[in-house]
Amino acid sequence: MNGLGEPLDCEMFEKGLRTRRLGKKIHYLSEVDSTNLYARNLAEEGGLEGEVVIAESQSRGKGRLGRSWVSPAKRNLYLSVILRPKLSPLHAPQITLMSAVALAETIQSFIPLPPEIKWPNDILVGGKKVAGILTESSCAADRLFFVILGIGVNVNFPREEMPESIRDTATSLMTLSGALVDRTALALQLIQNLDRCYGDLEGHGFPAMAERWSGFFRLQGKRVKVEMMDQDVQGKAIGIDGDGALILEDETGTRRRIVAGDVIPLEPGR
Ligand code: BT5
């Protein structure tokens, strides 16, 4: 068990890992700009599917759309995985949704409260963000070369150490469970669950995964606002389609697909 501020136990991590594809090679870094950037460089130089990059801290942790991810040393989990899925670029968002299921299932076993997936890439507990996913693809028009799957989880991140910008919107597993959480055990379970869910996606296709995803989606049938790059739209959240897009229904019953954006609930979830 890691105490607060202790490093990850790399040996235990490697010995304990039972996976088919992920984590056969693990790159541990004490500090990096961003595990996603590091993994992308590896992938561009021929890095293999399943290679994992884990860092104790990030100086330039990335969120979506140029946002940043607060990444202090030895508190949390910051990892990226190289994936080379046999999917068309159109279906690459399925990787984010598959990962959200794996992440929610992992988090669920460390805390007494149910986690919620906030489309497309956040895990919330009690309305606060405990983890985020950043998937970045490299593709040509009809071919996906690789996907870098990046995950950040707030593990032993006390509220008083959080910068003010996130103090009221973020939480951590320690805060939620009332005890220090073993980061090595969490990382192990996360990689194993990702390995399993990735296999499920490949073996059984997206519909089965989408059903599990819906179990963690609490805004079904609820009114939401979606902030997109160029406009905001409001409507009732229906769910996701086969490409992982969010389906929104307006007052006239017209449905539209949203492929990217930030969801803001306008009424409480179920
Ligand atoms: C995300 O973006 O939620 C994706 C976060 C992915 C982070 C991982 S860490 C390992 C890998 N390597 C990287 O460089 N990144 C990935 P987005 O939905 O855009 O949310 C970003 C927003 O979340 C920020 O603008 C803040 O408001 C908030 N935020 C930043 N750091 C946070 C934290 N540690 N906990 C909770 N919220 C945070």
Side-chain angles (χ1 to χ4, degrees):
M1 164 81 187
N2 313 116
L4 187 63
E6 272 181 39
L8 282 158
D9 186 339
C10 313
E11 210 182 301
M12 180 181 139
F13 186 66
E14 278 184 36
K15 271 198 199 139
L17 205 59
R18 303 274 176 273
T19 52
R20 267 182 59 214
R21 275 183 295 190
L22 307 196
K24 298 293 177 211
K25 184 162 182 187
I26 299 168
H27 305 258
Y28 295 102
L29 308 167
S30 62
E31 194 186 335
V32 71
D33 47 2
S34 151
T35 55
N36 264 38
L37 286 173
Y38 193 94
R40 171 177 280 272
N41 286 337
L42 286 177
E44 278 168 356
E45 283 160 22
L48 300 178
E49 163 144 291
E51 285 190 33
V52 173
V53 179
I54 301 191
E56 292 286 8
S57 73
Q58 300 183 116
S59 55
R60 213 153 59 83
K62 296 201 294 173
R64 291 175 303 148
L65 306 167
R67 296 174 192 143
S68 55
W69 188 253
V70 177
S71 311
K74 297 179 187 161
R75 293 288 188 261
N76 303 323
L77 213 56
Y78 318 111
L79 62 85
S80 300
V81 187
I82 301 175
L83 297 176
R84 296 186 180 275
K86 294 180 204 73
L87 292 173
S88 82
L90 193 68
H91 292 137
Q94 293 181 358
I95 297 293
T96 306
L97 301 173
M98 173 283 288
S99 311
V101 170
L103 185 53
E105 287 178 352
T106 306
I107 283 175
Q108 183 165 256
S109 64
F110 284 83
I111 53 170
L113 297 162
E116 168 186 354
I117 297 176
K118 180 163 159 289
W119 182 90
N121 70 317
D122 291 346
I123 305 293
L124 308 184
V125 180
K128 294 189 174 183
K129 184 156 167 172
V130 70
I133 300 169
L134 175 67
T135 40
E136 298 179 292
S137 307
S138 163
C139 54
D142 57 350
R143 211 182 130 212
L144 191 55
F145 299 120
F146 61 80
V147 174
I148 302 301
L149 163 61
I151 295 182
V153 186
N154 294 334
V155 189
N156 298 316
F157 195 3
R159 185 172 184 274
E160 59 276 14
E161 285 186 16
M162 290 181 178
E164 245 172 60
S165 57
I166 62 165
R167 202 172 288 164
D168 294 328
T169 52
T171 188
S172 76
L173 298 182
M174 180 179 76
T175 303
L176 293 163
S177 66
L180 272 181
V181 168
D182 186 334
R183 289 189 305 135
T184 308
L186 178 78
L188 251 178
Q189 203 166 314
L190 177 57
I191 299 291
Q192 289 180 171
N193 284 343
L194 280 170
D195 187 70
R196 182 174 45 80
C197 288
Y198 188 46
D200 290 347
L201 177 65
E202 201 174 65
H204 308 292
F206 188 62
M209 189 55 63
E211 205 168 295
R212 275 157 71 192
W213 187 93
S214 298
F216 289 109
F217 183 57
R218 312 243 185 270
L219 292 176
Q220 213 140 23
K222 303 290 175 187
R223 285 196 58 72
V224 298
K225 177 167 89 168
V226 184
E227 293 178 348
M228 298 189 288
M229 293 276 259
D230 47 350
Q231 57 167 323
D232 294 353
V233 287
Q234 290 194 13
K236 194 161 76 174
I238 303 299
I240 47 171
D241 72 7
D243 300 328
L246 181 72
I247 306 299
L248 218 60
E249 189 179 272
D250 70 15
E251 317 72 59
T252 67
T254 309
R255 293 187 172 189
R256 73 182 274 182
R257 307 172 65 240
I258 314 280
V259 292
D262 287 303
V263 175
I264 294 142
L266 298 176
E267 59 178 320
R270 62 189 159 89

